[in-house]
Amino acid sequence: MTDPLAPEPTPSVVRRTPVPPSVSQPVATPLWPSVVYRATDADELDRIYEGELPGYSYAREGHPNADVLAAKIDRLEGRRLGGPAGIVSSSGMAAVSAVLLGLLRAGDHVAAGNQLYGRSLRLMTSDLPRMGFATSLFDPTDAASVEAALTPATRLILVEVVSNPTLRVADMEAIVALGAQRGIPVVVDNTFTTPRMYQPLTQGADVVIHSVTKLLGGHADVTLGYTAADDPDLAAAIRTAAVTWGVAPSPFDCWLAERGLHTFEVRYDRAEANAVAVADALAGLDGVRAVLYPGRTDHPDRARAAKLFGSRTGNMVSFVLDGGRPEVNAFLRAAAAIPFAPTLGDVATTISHPASSSHRALTAEAREALGMPEGFIRLSVGIEDADLLIDELTAAVRASQ
Ligand SMILES: *Cc1c(COP(=O)(O)O)cnc(C)c1O
């Protein structure tokens, strides 16, 4: 080790300065923005590429902040140590793309849930067909519908555990069993449920995907994704696609998301307790036609939710306001202290209105058929005081009517 007080070893300020030696270690994770890593000689670089020595070469191929973040999400997902590490990507959609690009071959068919996140649904109905992949959609709450969607060419099943925004619960046991029986990888987008509620890989699924942008990052200031597979061949195929197609995450985003993850479990538990209280309060109000929350006894999939999630019920609450667009606008204006913003998973509560955002491309009739009339409102419940939230929402519902 060189003496940090020794004269600067580089003959030019243009050249990089070595990191000062230190026997003490930083407590917080350092940020490593470096795009490249230098090796001592060509043999050492060879051994880094072959995985014989720990190290990095070029940031698109991997960097320490992504690895620190991946290891934390791996742990949350209950993954065994020593398996292939999770892969962090520049967004949740980048993770979906890496999985599709890594696992599909020409001629393959994809079966997917019919209420996926809007952009995932677009991949199924528009982009994959444009590239020559056949796709079919199924009702994930109905095992017969899933089975009917499979063909001899099906190479991938993509499903979300809890649907957006109607919060229906997929028949995960049947879907995972069908995938195993037919040798089709089951890919689960676990964004809404989070590993606090459901851990797909421990329940027999093959690939898990997250939009880290949402509850895991938790502060609405980072756009990132994550995906992982326990099978080394699946994991390697996805990692190669992620590196080649360039969905690499920024070190700063990984650093921020890792910071957010320290409080994920306490944030999640508090938001869920708030959601239970909010769902019950809304259900008692005049002007609220229906409340959709997997924790309530009137939820259509209550028994399945209890079986899959135990006592967990999530932070997402949807409800149907009596009336149409004027009542929705009056509600949103009266609830102005709660941001009307088309996202979820922030520390503070946000409100969204699918008919004017995520599902605006559908006709009113098509939305109605999915159980989403004009008065349908979705809450991503945050960690603020439950009484404050209930007071604000109650006043806004009254103002709307
Ligand atoms: C937001 C979201 C995505 C996409 O994630 P981005 O980080 O916005 O790309 C995918 N799936 C679900 C369920 C989501 O909520």
Side-chain angles (χ1 to χ4, degrees):
M1 259 186 201
T2 46
D3 178 350
L5 301 178
E8 169 58 46
T10 61
S12 161
V13 289
V14 175
R15 301 264 174 85
R16 307 295 179 171
T17 309
V19 176
S22 170
V23 293
S24 52
Q25 291 280 314
V27 172
T29 306
L31 173 62
W32 289 278
S34 190
V35 169
V36 279
Y37 290 79
R38 55 190 292 180
T40 314
D41 61 21
D43 288 350
E44 186 183 87
L45 184 60
D46 263 346
R47 296 182 67 197
I48 291 172
Y49 269 117
E50 294 307 318
E52 291 165 16
L53 286 176
Y56 299 92
S57 55
Y58 186 69
R60 181 168 32 71
E61 311 255 338
H63 55 71
N65 288 110
D67 285 355
V68 169
L69 176 61
K72 273 212 163 77
I73 305 177
D74 286 345
R75 171 179 289 267
L76 286 172
E77 281 292 354
R79 305 191 59 220
R80 59 187 159 73
L81 289 173
I87 300 155
V88 180
S89 56
S90 54
S91 69
M93 286 317 298
V96 174
S97 301
V99 170
L100 297 175
L101 292 165
L103 302 189
L104 295 181
R105 287 172 305 221
D108 285 344
H109 168 266
V110 178
N114 61 2
Q115 278 200 51
L116 295 179
Y117 178 73
R119 287 281 161 184
S120 297
L121 203 54
R122 195 197 136 93
L123 274 175
M124 295 303 138
T125 56
S126 168
D127 298 80
L128 287 185
R130 175 172 56 80
M131 295 163 74
F133 296 102
T135 61
S136 310
L137 300 181
F138 56 75
D139 173 358
T141 67
D142 175 12
S145 161
V146 182
E147 186 159 17
L150 303 181
T151 78
T154 307
R155 161 82 177 147
L156 193 149
I157 299 173
L158 175 63
V159 67
E160 292 175 18
V161 190
V162 171
S163 68
N164 173 34
T166 55
L167 309 184
R168 295 295 304 266
V169 180
D171 189 347
M172 289 309 303
E173 288 178 328
I175 294 170
V176 163
L178 268 171
Q181 217 177 65
R182 309 274 183 100
I184 305 168
V186 174
V187 178
V188 178
D189 181 334
N190 202 32
T191 301
F192 265 52
T193 18
T194 83
R196 198 94 176 122
M197 205 162 159
Y198 186 74
Q199 297 173 328
L201 298 182
T202 70
Q203 301 303 311
D206 300 282
V207 180
V208 59
I209 288 175
H210 278 287
S211 170
V212 176
T213 313
K214 312 292 171 51
L215 285 124
L216 294 180
H219 295 75
D221 52 11
V222 143
T223 302
L224 278 181
Y226 162 94
T227 179
D230 285 337
D231 179 279
D233 294 335
L234 292 183
I238 297 168
R239 184 175 289 278
T240 300
V243 171
T244 305
W245 293 79
V247 301
S250 128
F252 179 62
D253 288 346
C254 295
W255 181 87
L256 259 185
E258 190 232 344
R259 191 176 192 273
L261 268 189
H262 290 120
T263 55
F264 164 67
E265 290 168 324
V266 282
R267 278 190 282 112
Y268 182 86
D269 291 356
R270 164 88 172 204
E272 182 177 71
N274 282 353
V276 170
V278 163
D280 287 343
L282 286 169
L285 293 179
D286 287 338
V288 172
R289 199 187 303 163
V291 172
L292 295 106
Y293 184 61
R296 281 182 53 83
T297 51
D298 58 4
H299 189 280
D301 307 317
R302 177 64 204 131
R304 184 179 293 149
K307 192 153 183 232
L308 291 179
F309 312 140
S311 60
R312 293 287 171 191
T313 48
N315 83 310
M316 303 299 293
V317 178
S318 293
F319 66 100
V320 181
L321 205 56
D322 270 331
R325 184 59 70 96
E327 285 75 16
V328 168
N329 281 337
F331 171 83
L332 295 173
R333 283 194 300 264
I338 307 174
F340 169 46
T343 187
L344 63 121
D346 189 15
V347 273
T349 302
T350 50
I351 303 176
S352 71
H353 176 241
S356 59
S357 55
S358 55
H359 293 71
R360 59 176 301 122
L362 301 182
T363 62
E365 293 71 33
R367 284 194 297 265
E368 193 87 40
L370 288 172
M372 211 185 307
E374 180 66 30
F376 194 103
I377 286 173
R378 190 193 77 180
L379 301 175
S380 169
V381 178
I383 67 171
E384 56 266 70
D385 188 77
D387 291 336
L388 170 72
L389 263 177
I390 290 170
D391 286 350
E392 288 172 344
L393 291 166
T394 301
V397 168
R398 294 212 173 110
S400 75
Q401 299 293 307

